[in-house]
Every structure is written in structure tokens, then in C-alpha cells.
Amino acid sequence: MSRLKAVILAAGAGTRMKSELPKVIHKILGKTMLDYVIEAAMEAGAEDIVVVVGHESEIVKKEISYNVEFVLQEEQLGTGHAVMMAKDFIGDEGNVLILFGDTPLITGDTLAKMVDYHIRHNNAATLLSTIVEDPTGYGRIIRDESNTFIKSIEHKDATEKEKMVKEINSGMYCFDAKELNNALDYLTNDNAQGEYYLPDTLKTIMAKHLNVNAMISDISEDILGVNSRVQLYQAGQIMQQRINYKHMDNGVTIINPLCTYISKDACINSDTIIYPNSFIEGKTIIGNNCIIGSNSKIVNSNIGNNINVESSTILDSSISDNTNVGPYAYIRPNSHIGSNVKIGDFVEIKNSSVGDNTKVAHLTYIGDADVGKNVNFGCGTVVVNYDGVNKNRTVIEDNAFIGCNTNLVSPVKVNNNAYTAAGSTITKDVPEYSLGIGRARQVNIQDWVRKKR
């Protein structure tokens, strides 16, 4: 099979979005629209990808997750003009996909089918088309009585009869690279908009009696473009349904798919239950038989098996099997929680490791700490990790018992099987099997209340 490349057009400002941000970097389920299109091209087999940028080009480059090439279109003079900016990239070998950065619903499967159709029919150019009830605004695919492709014409340039046609041009193509490059040299802007239209390259190719055709996709939503906030929401709904249904087909129970938000990159294993208003973002992995409770947020984290997360936030961290988190816990980045651990209500953990069978029941902050196995934290414990200049680490070894309202002033070490007394401020290491006490001795002043009154 000949080498496949992709050119993605992403230079427009998107004025209907009413945003200072370029249109193509607006996000659906945590990922930019342009990233979805790049992924689809890669899934279809594109080995090299170039993105044509224009409006706020540096912002677009910064926001994209993938290592692709960029070319600049300084003036936006139509789709044909945008593709001209990539002539050197297109070259004379293989096939090239032409895609749009604001069509996030296009899939690698649909593009792969178009490439296969293109090769099997020995086409010089293949358009991706679909049938819609309301074709207003889209270019039309015009065929003759024998259903042979004649042309693609823009809505504004179509006759009233041509506007009645319901087969529309998605704007996505697969071209023979050499023929596209040659046809770009003959483009003109002799049309109602004074722009260079990419579909006009088809005339040049057809004049050479080369094969041009349109492949009709039966999934019309694939080609939906986003030009407004309403359309962004509509595309998001479709993407949300696709992702959630895929997980449900794979054995995940989602109580209410309309109120559950899962990124395309997340992996969730069977018999896990996801409750409403949960957000599972980034490249999160969730194991088997987990319960993700309502109003939970999990981002780029690895969640093991048989874990219960109740109304909590977990960011860039890992949690091992049979652990309970929440309610209202906050696991901040670079935290690693062991197996059979209890992280209770209003517990915050940051940049710390917590060993197996440890209990942090409630109202505790653990930051920049290494906690061993079988440790018990009393209510109100604080690891005092910041001295105003530097972050310091605390070590709490296996089988330690931290009394309620203990302040552990880093750097400090509580050794194996050591205890701290409730209400203590611990500033020195506590040896093994010792009790650390760091509090003032209680003094009772007799009759103080009577005297005060």
C-alpha cells in the first residue's frame, strides 16, 4: 500500500464561537477538536501529518498533544488556498487525506474505509459524502442519471435544482498526491466568494480522464462541523454517547450516560459501576469491580480493582486494589495509595505514598510524605511540609499510630511501631516503640471563672 499522509486545515478564526481562542482548540470531553481529527488520521494509517494554521497559530501549536508538522496560511483565501500552503509536504508520492480541524466526530474507521475505497477503485480523488435531510450550507455532490459523479459545487454557487440534492460533500478527501499537487497549480478564485475552492481541483483531475468519485458514508454525524458554541455542545453530546455506549458494551454499568463524562482515552474494565455526574478524564485506567460514586473526578490516574471512590477527586495518581476513597477526599498529583487502604472524608493527600492497610479516616492532610503499612492516622493530623521556602518530606514507618490533632513538622521521621500523643507537635524523630509527646502540660487554675466574672 502506498504511503498515506494527511493535511488538516485549521487556520480559521471561528468568529461565530465568539471567543478569543482559535476555534479548533475548543475542547470536547477534555480534548481539543483538532486532537480528535489528528487521532482519526493516525488511526486511518497516516504516517505524516501537517496542520495548516493561521489565526493565533502559536496558541494552536501549543495546545496540540501530538508531534505534527505545521505550515502557516497568513491570509484565509479558501480551502484550496489553505491546501496550497502544504504543497511541499504533499509532494508527488502516495495518497493524502485532506481533513478539517473543526470536525471532531470523524473517525479513523470512516477514513480508513475511504482510503480503501480510493485504492480499490484506482481513484485519483475520492470525496467523503453523506446523505442529510437538511443540506443547507454544504457543498452538493452532483451525479448524472447513471449515478456517476459529475461535480461538487458549493451551496452559494449551486442552482436551485442543485440545492435540492441531499448528498453533501463533507469537505474531506483522499487524493493521489501527485495529481493533487498538479491540480493546485490550476486553481482560480473565479466564484461568488472570490476564494480558491479545493473542490475545483476535481475539474482538472477529471479533465485528464482520471477516476474521481464520492464514497457515501452511512454515518452522517461523522462529518458534522463545529462553528458555534451550540454546535460544540451538540458534537459533545454525540461524542459522549459514543464513548459511554462503548464502555457499556464492554461490561461497564453507567447509571445515567447523559450525566457521565468520560474521555476517549480512558480505559474502564468490566463490572465497574459509574454513578451520575462523574468525570473521568485523560488517560485514566479503572480496573474491575470498582464503584465510582456521584460527583467524582478522576484525571490521568490508575485505579486498581475493587475500589470504591465516593464523591472525591483524584489527580495524576495511583490507587491499588481494595481501597476506599472518600467521601470528599482530595488525592492530588503524584500520590500512590496502596491496597486495603482507607482514605476517608475530607482527607487531602499530595505527592505522597501510603502503604497497604493504612487508615486515614478523616480531616487529615498528608503532603510530601512516605507512609508505611498498617499506619493509623487520628482525626485532624497535619503533615507540616512547607517552611515558607522549601517543601520537606516526612517519613512514617510501618505500624505507627498518629494521635488526633498531631502536627508532624517536616522533615521528621516516625519510626516503626512508634506512637504520637494526641495534640502533639512533633519536631524531632520518634524512635521505634516510643511515644512522642510534643504539647504543653495541662494546668488548671482554681476559681479562675469566678474571679473573671
Side-chain angles (χ1 to χ4, degrees), residues 80 83-84 98 125 173 175 179-188 196-208 212:
V83 176
M84 288 178 190
I98 307 297
Y173 300 82
F175 282 97
E179 296 302 335
L180 173 59
N181 232 332
N182 177 70
L184 289 171
D185 292 334
Y186 294 90
L187 275 185
T188 70
Y196 296 88
Y197 290 151
L198 183 61
D200 288 347
T201 59
L202 304 177
K203 301 173 186 177
T204 302
I205 294 172
M206 293 174 72
K208 298 170 70 172
V212 175

Side-chain angles (χ1 to χ4, degrees), residues 86-277:
K87 274 177 63 66
D88 290 341
F89 170 85
I90 293 168
D92 294 326
E93 296 181 3
N95 295 309
V96 58
L97 292 168
I98 307 297
L99 308 172
F100 287 94
D102 61 358
T103 56
L105 298 174
I106 189 62
T107 65
D109 183 61
T110 294
L111 293 179
K113 288 178 180 176
M114 179 171 65
V115 173
D116 179 67
Y117 180 94
H118 176 82
I119 294 171
R120 284 189 294 106
H121 289 82
N122 194 30
N123 288 346
T126 302
L127 301 77
L128 180 64
S129 69
T130 194
I131 308 297
V132 296
E133 285 303 311
D134 181 9
T136 303
Y138 287 96
R140 307 300 202 279
I141 301 298
I142 307 302
R143 300 178 184 270
D144 64 16
E145 293 79 2
S146 63
N147 205 38
T148 300
F149 175 85
I150 298 176
K151 65 178 179 179
S152 172
I153 189 165
E154 296 291 324
H155 176 89
K156 293 175 182 177
D157 297 316
T159 66
E160 290 305 313
K161 182 178 179 181
E162 289 169 339
K163 289 178 180 178
M164 299 292 290
V165 173
K166 293 186 177 181
E167 183 181 358
I168 63 169
N169 182 0
S170 70
M172 296 178 234
Y173 300 82
C174 185
F175 282 97
D176 176 274
K178 182 178 181 179
E179 296 302 335
L180 173 59
N181 232 332
N182 177 70
L184 289 171
D185 292 334
Y186 294 90
L187 275 185
T188 70
N189 59 350
D190 184 20
N191 53 61
Q193 292 297 105
E195 295 185 348
Y196 296 88
Y197 290 151
L198 183 61
D200 288 347
T201 59
L202 304 177
K203 301 173 186 177
T204 302
I205 294 172
M206 293 174 72
K208 298 170 70 172
H209 304 290
L210 298 173
N211 292 339
V212 175
N213 209 334
M215 188 197 83
I216 301 175
S217 172
D218 57 0
I219 308 175
S220 60
E221 65 188 29
D222 276 6
I223 64 96
L224 292 178
V226 172
N227 292 300
S228 68
R229 303 277 184 162
V230 171
Q231 290 174 343
L232 183 69
Y233 159 73
Q234 291 168 340
Q237 281 193 310
I238 294 170
M239 186 69 74
Q240 179 183 356
Q241 178 176 294
R242 286 180 179 179
I243 293 169
N244 289 350
Y245 282 16
K246 179 196 75 173
H247 287 297
M248 294 165 78
D249 288 341
N250 290 335
V252 176
T253 295
I254 298 179
I255 301 299
N256 186 349
L258 297 176
C259 299
T260 302
Y261 308 90
I262 304 174
S263 82
K264 179 185 174 184
D265 298 326
C267 177
I268 306 174
N269 291 318
S270 63
D271 293 320
T272 284
I273 302 173
I274 313 292
Y275 279 78
N277 299 318

Side-chain angles (χ1 to χ4, degrees), residues 183-380:
L184 289 171
D185 292 334
Y186 294 90
L187 275 185
T188 70
N189 59 350
D190 184 20
N191 53 61
Q193 292 297 105
E195 295 185 348
Y196 296 88
Y197 290 151
L198 183 61
D200 288 347
T201 59
L202 304 177
K203 301 173 186 177
T204 302
I205 294 172
M206 293 174 72
K208 298 170 70 172
H209 304 290
L210 298 173
N211 292 339
V212 175
N213 209 334
M215 188 197 83
I216 301 175
S217 172
D218 57 0
I219 308 175
S220 60
E221 65 188 29
D222 276 6
I223 64 96
L224 292 178
V226 172
N227 292 300
S228 68
R229 303 277 184 162
V230 171
Q231 290 174 343
L232 183 69
Y233 159 73
Q234 291 168 340
Q237 281 193 310
I238 294 170
M239 186 69 74
Q240 179 183 356
Q241 178 176 294
R242 286 180 179 179
I243 293 169
N244 289 350
Y245 282 16
K246 179 196 75 173
H247 287 297
M248 294 165 78
D249 288 341
N250 290 335
V252 176
T253 295
I254 298 179
I255 301 299
N256 186 349
L258 297 176
C259 299
T260 302
Y261 308 90
I262 304 174
S263 82
K264 179 185 174 184
D265 298 326
C267 177
I268 306 174
N269 291 318
S270 63
D271 293 320
T272 284
I273 302 173
I274 313 292
Y275 279 78
N277 299 318
S278 293
F279 292 78
I280 300 169
E281 301 179 8
K283 297 181 179 181
T284 291
I285 299 174
I286 299 176
N288 301 99
N289 301 298
C290 295
I291 298 175
I292 309 301
S294 297
N295 303 306
S296 292
K297 181 177 182 179
I298 305 174
V299 181
N300 290 319
S301 294
N302 195 329
I303 309 299
N305 301 313
N306 305 301
I307 289 174
N308 185 358
V309 178
E310 185 176 355
S311 302
S312 295
T313 298
I314 302 170
L315 309 177
D316 300 289
S317 295
S318 65
I319 299 178
S320 298
D321 299 347
N322 305 303
T323 286
N324 291 324
V325 178
Y328 316 121
Y330 185 19
I331 311 299
R332 292 168 58 189
N334 197 34
S335 293
H336 306 283
I337 312 300
S339 299
N340 299 293
V341 172
K342 167 65 176 176
I343 304 296
D345 52 291
F346 302 104
V347 170
E348 180 176 350
I349 298 177
K350 190 266 306 186
N351 190 31
S352 297
S353 61
V354 177
D356 298 345
N357 301 300
T358 287
K359 294 179 174 60
V360 191
H362 37 219
L363 297 164
T364 290
Y365 170 71
I366 300 173
D368 301 295
D370 299 301
V371 179
K373 301 177 181 179
N374 302 302
V375 175
N376 186 88
F377 283 82
C379 175

Side-chain angles (χ1 to χ4, degrees), residues 51-89:
V51 177
V52 181
V53 293
H55 177 70
E56 298 287 2
S57 59
E58 293 305 314
I59 296 177
V60 175
K61 293 177 184 180
K62 183 179 178 180
E63 288 294 320
I64 298 312
S65 304
Y66 295 94
N67 184 22
V68 298
E69 296 182 44
F70 295 93
V71 294
L72 180 64
Q73 183 190 21
E74 294 183 356
E75 292 184 272
Q76 281 74 65
L77 301 176
T79 54
H81 181 260
V83 176
M84 288 178 190
M85 302 300 102
K87 274 177 63 66
D88 290 341
F89 170 85

